Amino acid sequence: MPTAGPAAPRPVRGVFVTGTDTGVGKTVVAVALVRALHAAGVPVAGMKPVAAGIDPDATCNADVAALAAADGLALPLADRNPYAFAAPVAPHLAAREAGVRIDLAAIAAAYARIARRVQAVVVEGAGGARVPLDATTDMLDIAQRLRLPVLLVVGVRLGCLNHTLLTVESMAARGLELAGWVANRIDPAMAFADENVGELVARVPAPCVAHVGHATTPAFTRHALSTLRLVPGGAD
């Protein structure tokens, strides 16, 4: 009888974390997701393809550093964060100022190198979902290029209904899969916060995988990880 060949490697699972706006807690959610996967025994890496804003005394963007601390992997910084800009401005403006073109192919190559080392990759965007990368592309184009489902972080504050529904429509128009969303209560004084979250539960065509209280650490259950297809058990 012929001998069996080596077992095929398990497919790498990934998710693209974006938000309804800047400052809604994408990094907090992405870091918590990395830590939850690590606790579940899944070799995982965090990646932020584009980052704008680096403190003068720092070697990298603070969000990138937080992802690196969460996964504990000695990944090349150029792979974890292919495009890093010092100025804390929109990426396309920072890139223009630096004379750099943000290349989706370079991001995809960096992602592929990271994916060869782990079983899951959490990719964090910058700013909101439609933040431009150049004159013709934006953050959602990264998710499309990497063929990743999206986890949307909703900042629960005044305007979140409009921001969320417009973002969901943009994803649908691109043919992107919204795997789930997170309700992050960033404004503790928001009136009718529960009612707003309830409206989103009724209107967003994807499950809310985590509810995050103000200034608290997100918690992702095994069921949430499965829903996002980052561990076995969810639909493939």
Side-chain angles (χ1 to χ4, degrees):
M1 294 179 61
T3 58
R10 283 189 284 182
V12 174
R13 298 165 183 261
V15 68
F16 185 78
V17 180
T18 191
T20 50
D21 200 353
T22 191
V24 296
K26 292 185 307 298
T27 302
V28 171
V29 167
V31 165
L33 197 53
V34 169
R35 294 192 185 280
L37 286 163
H38 192 271
V42 178
V44 57
M47 178 188 187
K48 190 176 178 85
V50 182
I54 301 175
D55 292 336
D57 57 347
T59 58
C60 68
N61 173 270
D63 297 347
V64 176
L67 289 168
D71 67 36
L73 298 176
L75 298 175
L77 185 57
D79 285 349
R80 192 187 292 278
N81 178 210
Y83 292 97
F85 304 105
V89 297
H92 71 301
L93 299 179
R96 184 187 306 166
E97 183 70 17
V100 172
R101 183 176 72 88
I102 297 174
D103 184 2
L104 295 178
I107 291 173
Y111 174 85
R113 288 189 292 270
I114 291 174
R116 286 196 286 269
R117 299 184 54 175
V118 294
Q119 291 177 16
V121 185
V122 176
V123 181
E124 182 193 348
R130 293 297 307 274
V131 165
L133 300 175
D134 57 28
T136 60
T137 62
D138 58 32
M139 280 293 155
L140 291 183
D141 286 297
I142 296 178
Q144 280 189 299
R145 183 59 182 258
L146 301 183
R147 297 182 179 179
L148 292 177
V150 178
L151 173 63
L152 178 63
V153 182
V154 174
V156 180
R157 63 185 175 199
L158 189 63
C160 66
L161 296 178
N162 180 63
H163 293 165
T164 302
L165 298 177
L166 287 175
T167 302
V168 169
E169 284 185 5
S170 288
M171 291 181 191
R174 305 283 187 91
L176 286 165
E177 176 193 354
L178 177 60
W181 59 283
V182 173
N184 189 17
R185 299 188 183 230
I186 57 177
D187 180 4
M190 181 187 180
F192 299 103
D194 290 343
E195 289 81 356
N196 275 262
V197 171
E199 288 290 333
L200 291 174
V201 168
R203 294 168 185 265
V204 175
C208 181
V209 296
H211 293 266
V212 186
H214 177 67
T216 63
T217 301
F220 288 97
T221 64
R222 180 84 185 193
H223 177 71
L225 298 179
S226 175
T227 298
L228 297 172
R229 302 207 307 267
L230 292 170
V231 298
D236 287 322

